[in-house]
Amino acid sequence: MAGDEGLLDVVWMLDDACREAGFFYVVIKGHGISESLMTEVRDVTRKFFQLPREEKLKIKMTPQSGYRGYQRVGENVTKGKPDMHEAIDCYTPIEPGRYGDLAKPMEGSNLWPDYPSNFDALLENYISLLRVFIMLFFISDLSRKIMRGIALALGAPLDSFEGGVAGDAFWVLRLIGYPVSDDIPQEERTDIGCGAHTDYGLLTLVNQDDDICALEVRNQSGEWIYAKPVPGTFVCNIGDMLKVWSNGIYQPTLHRVVNNSPRYRVSVAFFYESNFDAAVEPVEFCREKTGGVAKYEKVVYGEHLVQKVLTNFVM
Ligand SMILES: N=C(N)NCCCC[C@H](N)C(=O)O
Ligand SMILES: O=C(O)CCC(=O)C(=O)O
Ligand SMILES: [Fe+2]
């Protein structure tokens, strides 16, 4: 592979992006995901959020549902402030007992929207859901490939994230809607769609609406820069587990969402994470590159996620 210049270019670009920005765009061409599939997944999501509140609440997220399902505007909280988005959260299904006490709060399977009673709509819904699954399938494979690129970018073996780190990668899917500010009752309104945060796992791929600038990324000078939509691409960013594994060579970047546009914004974020029970710690050769000392303590990914999930919501 050392002779493959195209590959080396990509690896070099990945390294540069992960060091400098923590964010990059991935063009979907040739990955089995078409731009129209990405659009359709956002459209299904938009349709769901347009349903009456009672309909959406049929798949309400609760502690009993393993924190899977629908959350209303203001129920997700970041740094103590309600976020102005509604969402459906889906996670890799977890059978009871699978990870012992570690995964208890998140056990269960996902809540998908109910089938409407009429047949056309049923079929439409069925196909839409299927598309979401097709999307999940491709996107997970794409993520695995990007992680191989990131391994090479760090100078590590290609398969570094297989096996105990992310050979059985836990995935999270968030279907998110950001209402127009004026449409939110004033007493419930805050000025932020999603407060500043970093993502929890290895890699995030965001499928965002084409025509609205709302996702902002903090650069090294502390300025907020739009991750402008580029049709046919995913906005990718690295997460907390990659920081720990690389001993800080790659840092997750703070980002937030502010929808100041006069349009309802939809994004579908796919989080490719380590194995639920992975104990992630700075890998030796990354430690060597960074002065020999581990800068972060070992983190069990599932503990990190559960701790976030248990504190992210006011219900
Ligand atoms: N799985 C991810 N990354 N979800 C991000 C949700 C928004 C941030 C969350 N309230 C927090 O405070 O972390
Ligand atoms: O809506 C977006 O563009 C990003 C959402 C996000 O950062 C998240 O859910 O973690
Ligand atoms: Fe995020």
Side-chain angles (χ1 to χ4, degrees):
M1 279 185 304
D4 184 340
E5 262 185 47
L7 179 89
L8 285 180
D9 281 350
V10 172
V11 168
W12 186 87
M13 284 192 280
L14 266 176
D15 183 50
D16 191 50
C18 291
R19 270 175 210 277
E20 298 301 323
F23 266 78
F24 52 92
Y25 290 85
V26 168
V27 182
I28 55 163
K29 227 176 248 168
H31 286 289
I33 305 167
S34 61
E35 195 176 327
S36 65
L37 179 59
M38 291 180 78
T39 307
E40 277 165 17
V41 170
R42 293 197 308 273
D43 287 346
V44 179
T45 305
R46 204 179 327 271
K47 267 192 198 153
F48 174 81
F49 289 133
Q50 279 165 358
L51 293 171
R53 179 175 279 198
E54 315 84 70
E55 195 58 36
K56 295 189 276 192
L57 287 174
K58 286 185 182 164
I59 59 158
K60 183 176 167 51
M61 180 190 81
T62 60
Q64 292 72 37
S65 71
Y67 293 90
R68 298 152 194 269
Y70 173 71
Q71 61 210 250
R72 287 160 52 168
V73 172
E75 278 184 335
N76 202 315
V77 171
T78 304
K79 302 209 177 85
K81 201 167 164 183
D83 290 323
M84 294 298 103
H85 70 255
E86 52 187 334
I88 303 178
D89 279 352
C90 310
Y91 300 92
T92 309
I94 306 177
E95 317 98 72
R98 170 81 168 83
Y99 299 105
D101 285 346
L102 182 60
K104 270 258 140 43
M106 300 186 67
E107 284 175 356
S109 42
N110 293 312
L111 302 176
W112 294 101
D114 267 351
Y115 295 118
S117 52
N118 96 22
F119 190 70
D120 285 7
L122 185 145
L123 229 73
E124 192 191 331
N125 200 12
Y126 177 72
I127 294 166
S128 311
L129 291 181
L130 222 67
R131 287 202 181 106
V132 173
F133 281 117
I134 294 170
M135 179 89 160
L136 266 178
F137 174 77
F138 283 125
I139 211 174
S140 188
D141 197 46
L142 171 58
S143 307
R144 174 167 258 126
K145 286 180 185 149
I146 297 171
M147 288 314 298
R148 279 195 226 143
I150 288 179
L152 294 181
L154 279 166
L158 191 72
D159 60 357
S160 296
F161 297 101
E162 296 300 329
V165 183
D168 180 24
F170 192 79
W171 58 259
V172 181
L173 184 74
R174 301 197 77 217
L175 308 152
I176 317 166
Y178 300 87
V180 176
S181 197
D182 287 345
D183 292 346
I184 305 167
Q186 204 152 14
E187 61 280 7
E188 290 169 28
R189 203 184 296 163
T190 69
D191 55 2
I192 198 128
C194 184
H197 65 279
T198 58
D199 293 339
Y200 318 146
L202 290 170
L203 179 72
T204 307
L205 290 86
V206 177
N207 170 10
Q208 62 171 336
D209 265 347
D210 287 343
D211 43 6
I212 300 171
C213 274
L215 173 57
E216 301 178 3
V217 178
R218 207 178 63 166
N219 72 9
Q220 288 176 357
S221 319
E223 301 150 337
W224 291 99
I225 308 292
Y226 278 126
K228 289 185 189 141
V230 179
T233 67
F234 286 103
V235 176
C236 301
N237 61 277
I238 56 185
D240 300 339
M241 291 304 110
L242 191 55
K243 168 191 77 180
V244 174
W245 195 86
S246 70
N247 205 26
I249 296 178
Y250 294 163
Q251 292 281 339
T253 309
L254 273 178
H255 55 283
R256 67 182 188 190
V257 179
V258 184
N259 183 16
N260 279 329
S261 84
R263 316 257 296 260
Y264 189 100
R265 174 178 184 266
V266 165
S267 72
V268 178
F270 179 82
F271 303 91
Y272 186 83
E273 324 265 293
S274 33
N275 298 354
F276 196 86
D277 55 0
V280 181
E281 59 186 330
V283 70
E284 190 183 340
F285 86 93
C286 285
R287 278 201 321 259
E288 280 164 11
K289 286 188 183 191
T290 47
V293 186
K295 294 182 183 160
Y296 306 97
E297 296 197 0
K298 185 190 286 182
V299 180
V300 177
Y301 164 69
E303 277 175 17
H304 184 55
L305 178 64
V306 167
Q307 182 261 328
K308 294 283 188 182
V309 166
L310 293 182
T311 53
N312 268 349
F313 302 100
V314 281
M315 288 182 288

